[in-house]
Amino acid sequence: GLGVKDKNGVWHIRNAYDGEGKVKKLNIITTPDQKPTYTLIRKGGDKVVIVEGLFDALTINQIGKGDFDIVILNSTTNTDDLIESGELKGYKTVYLALDNDLAGKEAEEKLYNYLKKIKGVKIYRLKHNSKDLNEALTNKEKIEKEDITPKTYYIGLLREGIIDSVNRMVITDDERVFQKLKSPYYREIEDEQDIAEFWSANECRGEVEVYIDGELPEWIRRGLERAEWERTYQPPWSTVPQTEIERPTGIKRRKYFEIDGRLVLDREVEENPERYADCDVKEAREIAEGILKQRKEARRRELERLMREDNDRDRGRGLGI
């Protein structure tokens, strides 16, 4: 048989001759206190691939470049052992290559929910349509790498007005947005409750500006629906203090672009369209061209108005035809 030793010293053996032509599985336990668990094959890198079985590990070794560690779960029941060990915290990149069955998907979900809480780790899924990685290789199927790293979202303030300043909430998936807005107070969002509490604690008002590439996550939308703060004020016509609940008046979707290696906000394009009318980013160029077209049309209408006024004055002096 062919096998690997796990972290607890148990040998996991695979033998093709079980009388039915199927791979036979055998765990060899040498001491009474041994419990079967996962196997970690170290090569000293900061990348790791997680697979279910020995033959998937051999497949990874064949199709990969070899500059990664390999975790063999030996069984999806050992997923919790791997998570509780904390060994995955030492990696910068994790590839999930589990089987395409219910047990594999459940194990992947557990690992993903754990990994997404580790700051700075990149998470990838190896995609194919076969039962497992080894079968995909046997079928000569294309195995694709899918980036499933969860985005980090940030929340901060945009202060508007000088005398009666108003705190407006800004949410983005790129913290450079706050540098562009000259807003030093921002931080990561933890969950939807965090959004609601931020709105209340900072007494925000008005629309929420959202700079996010792609769809707005539903949990952020739910957080905005929960956001409110209660304020008391004295109307000039009344001697009785009034209570009002401040909630977001709406969501204003904004955009940002990578132009010539730097982040550019849509408001920058709107303020200086001449600069971006010929840029390589189509969406930014279209915004600039649209504004320049509006300005040209406004100048044309203004010129027509001035000409009509001149004609009216001429007619008033008896010079009109």
Side-chain angles (χ1 to χ4, degrees):
L2 179 69
V4 290
K5 185 188 289 187
D6 69 23
K7 295 284 289 185
N8 292 338
V10 176
W11 279 96
H12 297 257
I13 307 297
R14 300 295 176 263
N15 190 312
Y17 301 101
D18 67 343
E20 297 180 7
K22 298 179 181 178
V23 174
K24 184 178 180 181
K25 299 180 181 180
L26 174 67
N27 295 337
I28 300 178
I29 298 174
T30 55
T31 61
D33 60 339
Q34 282 181 324
K35 174 194 169 188
T37 188
Y38 65 93
T39 300
L40 174 58
I41 302 172
R42 292 190 182 276
K43 298 183 182 179
D46 59 5
K47 303 175 187 175
V48 64
V49 184
I50 303 174
V51 297
E52 283 192 37
L54 170 61
F55 290 101
D56 294 327
L58 294 172
T59 301
I60 282 291
N61 208 52
Q62 182 172 338
I63 66 176
K65 296 179 181 179
D67 58 340
F68 44 78
D69 294 357
I70 300 176
V71 169
I72 307 173
L73 289 177
N74 295 312
S75 169
T76 55
T77 58
N78 298 323
T79 305
D80 290 337
D81 288 351
L82 176 61
I83 291 172
E84 291 166 7
S85 73
E87 290 193 282
L88 295 178
K89 292 181 178 179
Y91 295 99
K92 293 182 179 179
T93 306
V94 179
Y95 296 89
L96 301 176
L98 289 92
D99 292 0
N100 279 331
D101 56 16
L102 181 60
K105 292 183 184 303
E106 288 177 349
E108 180 185 280
E109 185 177 3
K110 274 187 180 182
L111 288 163
Y112 177 77
N113 289 335
Y114 169 72
L115 291 166
K116 71 181 184 180
K117 298 176 183 177
I118 303 175
K119 190 175 180 63
V121 68
K122 293 287 290 182
I123 312 170
Y124 294 92
R125 174 193 291 127
L126 298 187
K127 291 178 59 179
H128 54 81
N129 295 318
S130 299
K131 172 186 171 293
D132 55 33
L133 204 63
N134 180 248
E135 186 177 287
L137 178 65
T138 303
N139 295 338
K140 298 181 180 180
E141 184 183 345
K142 184 178 181 181
I143 300 171
E144 297 180 322
K145 181 177 72 172
E146 178 186 12
D147 187 347
I148 58 172
T149 308
K151 282 186 177 181
T152 300
Y153 295 95
Y154 303 89
I155 192 168
L157 299 176
L158 176 63
R159 296 183 67 86
E160 295 185 350
I162 299 175
I163 299 175
D164 297 321
S165 60
V166 174
N167 286 336
R168 297 197 184 278
M169 183 188 287
V170 179
I171 296 176
T172 182
D173 56 6
D174 194 322
E175 59 183 319
R176 294 176 296 171
V177 167
F178 291 106
Q179 298 166 11
K180 287 285 185 177
L181 295 174
K182 296 181 172 56
S183 176
Y185 180 54
Y186 68 92
R187 60 175 173 78
E188 290 185 19
I189 308 174
E190 296 180 1
D191 51 34
E192 59 186 79
Q193 178 63 26
D194 196 20
I195 296 173
E197 291 176 354
F198 188 93
W199 175 273
S200 177
N202 293 283
E203 300 182 351
C204 298
R205 293 184 181 140
E207 288 183 311
V208 176
E209 291 200 2
V210 176
Y211 290 86
I212 288 178
D213 183 23
E215 293 295 321
L216 182 66
E218 190 57 36
W219 66 270
I220 290 182
R221 198 179 297 276
R222 290 195 303 268
L224 294 176
E225 289 173 354
R226 295 172 57 181
E228 62 178 38
W229 69 277
E230 184 178 298
R231 72 185 185 101
T232 302
Y233 66 101
Q234 185 79 39
W237 61 85
S238 173
T239 59
V240 181
Q242 303 282 324
T243 299
E244 188 173 81
I245 302 297
E246 291 281 356
R247 296 185 177 91
T249 58
I251 299 173
K252 187 175 184 179
R253 293 302 303 264
R254 307 295 307 233
K255 298 181 182 296
Y256 62 80
F257 315 99
E258 289 284 348
I259 301 176
D260 297 331
R262 65 187 186 90
L263 187 78
V264 176
L265 305 185
D266 54 359
R267 64 178 69 213
E268 295 179 80
V269 178
E270 294 165 357
E271 291 169 359
N272 191 4
E274 293 86 359
R275 180 176 181 181
Y276 299 100
D278 297 319
C279 74
D280 294 331
V281 180
K282 181 182 178 182
E283 199 171 3
R285 186 173 67 250
E286 288 176 347
I287 292 174
E289 289 173 348
I291 293 172
L292 292 175
K293 184 177 179 180
Q294 291 173 4
R295 289 182 181 179
K296 184 178 180 180
E297 180 63 21
R299 286 194 295 268
R300 184 188 65 79
R301 289 196 299 268
E302 178 65 13
L303 181 59
E304 289 179 351
R305 184 186 67 81
L306 292 173
M307 291 176 66
R308 284 196 303 270
E309 290 180 354
D310 285 345
N311 289 336
D312 289 345
R313 282 195 295 269
D314 290 342
R315 280 193 293 268
R317 291 195 295 264
L319 301 175
I321 299 174

